[in-house]
Amino acid sequence: MASPFAGVPLLDQHAHSLLRRQPATVHEYRACFTESFAPEIIDRHVPWSLFYRRALRDLAVFFECAPTEDAVLDARTRRPFDRLVAEMFADAGIAGVLADLGLRVDDYVDLSGLRALLPCPVFPVLRLETLAERLIGDASDWPDLEARFAAEVETAAAGDLWALKTIIAYRTGLVIDRWDADQLGRAFRATRDEFRAGRRRLQCKPILDTLLRRALEIAARRRLPVQVHAGFGDHDLDLRLVNPVGLRPIIEDPALRGAPLVLLHCHPYVSEAAWLAAIYPHIYIDLSLTIPFLAHRAADEIADALAAAPATKVLLATDAFSIPELFWLGAHHARQALHTAGDALEARGYLPSADRLPLARRLLHDNAAELYEIGQRR
């Protein structure tokens, strides 16, 4: 599929790994195109989402098959998986991937496996909540957990790590409070008991808030970027609690300003995130997942971001997970949406033709390369 700006590589600064076991049925394939786990959504409604219907048409061009689920699924399963990945990434013009490897680690390819599969560099990102969940059951008390957590973050940051990432928005929201020692001690004991009884998901606000602040202190000292989920995403979030404006006390804390914060996804708070990026030097806005899941709205979201944020502060990525098709679609749809947004902005007198390609290079590649110092560290 020919894309505008096809010659501009995408540095995919926010994505995940690939499923070890790829979809074998139509139901499993559809499930990769929604944030919902509800069978009724997957079976009845996903086939009528604009993104999914467009995806089938686009993938049919790539696979040279009929634009139907059965034909696309058959075509993908006929190709060896390593060949499918290599061909899709090459056709999508993906120059590198910053990968959050903390998503359902037992189901997804690990770092070494992903590096063996992808025909481009993989830069690991540490998901903070997954780290805390791994440590909490063995900690003796709250100070012990905090010390273990900080030590692991420090060790990772000193090694092959390119960013931290938090999904606290989807657990307890983006208003980060301070908690005293007694509150943290009680919260730790209750939460540790739950984990020892089999719980695996950390949702304790005092612990999450305090560990995030601790990680931000480390990131600020090391000038390490931190990716922060905001807006829509996981199906169990409370959309009222994920407006990035809630982060202003963190953003304005002088002790934390050394850590660049990348606000991920952002819909329906793109304008708010763009305003933050326009005001604060260390804030950036990412539109992954918004593109391609919002279908025709993707171009409008790019235009909304650029209405307030300078082009040097806006990043495009895929937030792809599970299957290589999402990387391929995310890259192609991002370029198409950027082209459509450019047409609209030029018609309004705000983006002359001479600025279109330099702006595309910034959003697709250069901003991410500069932010994460890719090409400078290795």
Side-chain angles (χ1 to χ4, degrees):
M1 183 176 73
S3 291
F5 309 119
V8 181
L10 172 66
L11 181 49
D12 192 357
Q13 64 92 43
H14 177 51
H16 301 269
S17 188
L18 297 163
L19 284 169
R20 297 177 186 272
R21 190 183 76 82
Q22 288 289 294
T25 66
V26 167
H27 174 88
E28 292 175 344
Y29 197 59
R30 289 177 182 173
C32 298
F33 292 82
T34 176
E35 293 291 302
S36 176
F37 292 133
E40 183 179 0
I41 292 291
I42 295 168
D43 293 330
R44 180 181 176 189
H45 300 293
V46 165
W48 284 97
S49 75
L50 293 184
F51 168 47
Y52 187 62
R53 297 179 78 80
R54 167 72 186 270
L56 290 177
R57 295 195 302 272
D58 290 345
L59 291 168
V61 174
F62 175 84
F63 287 119
E64 298 181 328
C65 68
T68 65
E69 291 173 315
D70 289 338
V72 168
L73 192 58
D74 179 66
R76 79 181 306 273
T77 56
R78 288 177 181 273
R79 302 193 188 197
F81 185 58
D82 56 350
R83 177 185 157 198
L84 176 67
V85 172
E87 290 179 354
M88 297 202 98
F89 271 72
D91 189 76
I94 297 176
V97 175
L98 276 86
D100 167 13
L101 300 166
L103 175 65
R104 303 206 314 267
V105 294
D106 293 336
D107 297 331
Y108 280 77
V109 175
D110 63 13
L111 177 60
S112 61
L114 193 63
R115 282 177 164 163
L117 274 172
L118 268 53
C120 62
V122 179
F123 307 98
V125 174
L126 176 64
R127 185 189 287 225
L128 297 171
E129 289 74 20
T130 300
L131 171 61
E133 289 163 349
R134 176 168 61 81
L135 297 174
I136 195 166
D138 293 330
S140 59
D141 55 18
W142 162 250
D144 183 38
L145 174 63
E146 186 179 26
R148 289 172 182 244
F149 178 84
E152 294 247 7
V153 174
E154 291 276 17
T155 299
D160 183 21
L161 187 73
W162 297 80
L164 303 177
K165 177 183 173 183
T166 175
I167 57 169
I168 197 170
Y170 301 163
R171 302 296 177 85
T172 53
L174 290 176
V175 176
I176 312 302
D177 295 320
R178 291 186 179 273
W179 304 86
D180 63 32
D182 288 343
Q183 291 171 315
L184 285 163
R186 289 193 299 271
F188 168 80
R189 289 189 292 273
T191 304
R192 182 191 56 188
D193 290 346
E194 292 172 356
F195 269 69
R196 288 180 175 177
R199 187 180 184 89
R200 291 294 177 263
R201 183 179 176 85
L202 179 58
Q203 292 180 284
C204 176
K205 183 169 174 56
I207 293 176
L208 288 167
D209 287 353
T210 307
L211 291 182
L212 175 58
R213 191 178 290 273
R214 189 74 181 87
L216 289 172
E217 291 169 355
I218 296 169
R221 177 162 37 82
R222 292 183 172 273
R223 317 293 292 185
L224 186 68
V226 180
Q227 299 178 348
V228 183
H229 270 285
F232 81 147
D234 289 4
H235 73 285
D236 55 353
L237 66 87
D238 185 336
L239 199 58
R240 299 167 298 180
L241 303 180
V242 295
N243 187 328
V245 173
L247 288 167
R248 283 191 72 190
I250 291 289
I251 292 170
E252 293 185 343
D253 188 333
L256 304 179
R257 289 182 186 171
L261 301 184
V262 185
L263 304 175
L264 302 175
H265 311 334
C266 297
H267 176 80
Y269 301 113
V270 168
S271 295
E272 290 87 341
W275 175 74
L276 293 170
I279 298 298
Y280 298 102
H282 60 305
I283 304 301
Y284 296 80
I285 176 173
D286 152 88
L287 295 176
S288 63
L289 193 67
T290 296
I291 307 169
F293 271 57
L294 257 63
H296 57 285
R297 277 283 303 168
D300 300 326
E301 300 284 75
I302 291 175
D304 286 348
L306 292 172
T312 46
K313 293 296 212 78
V314 181
L315 306 168
L316 298 179
T318 67
D319 191 30
F321 60 96
S322 67
I323 56 175
E325 286 92 324
L326 291 179
F327 287 90
W328 187 85
L329 290 163
H332 282 296
H333 286 198
R335 292 188 180 92
Q336 180 63 61
L338 182 56
H339 176 72
T340 302
D343 284 345
L345 294 173
E346 184 174 9
R348 298 176 185 180
Y350 282 92
L351 187 64
S353 297
D355 287 349
R356 297 274 287 273
L357 184 57
L359 182 139
R361 288 189 177 124
R362 284 235 149 253
L363 271 61
L364 290 164
H365 184 276
D366 293 355
N367 289 343
E370 292 171 7
L371 174 63
Y372 298 101
E373 299 183 349
I374 292 173
Q376 300 177 45
R377 287 173 53 183
R378 57 168 61 179

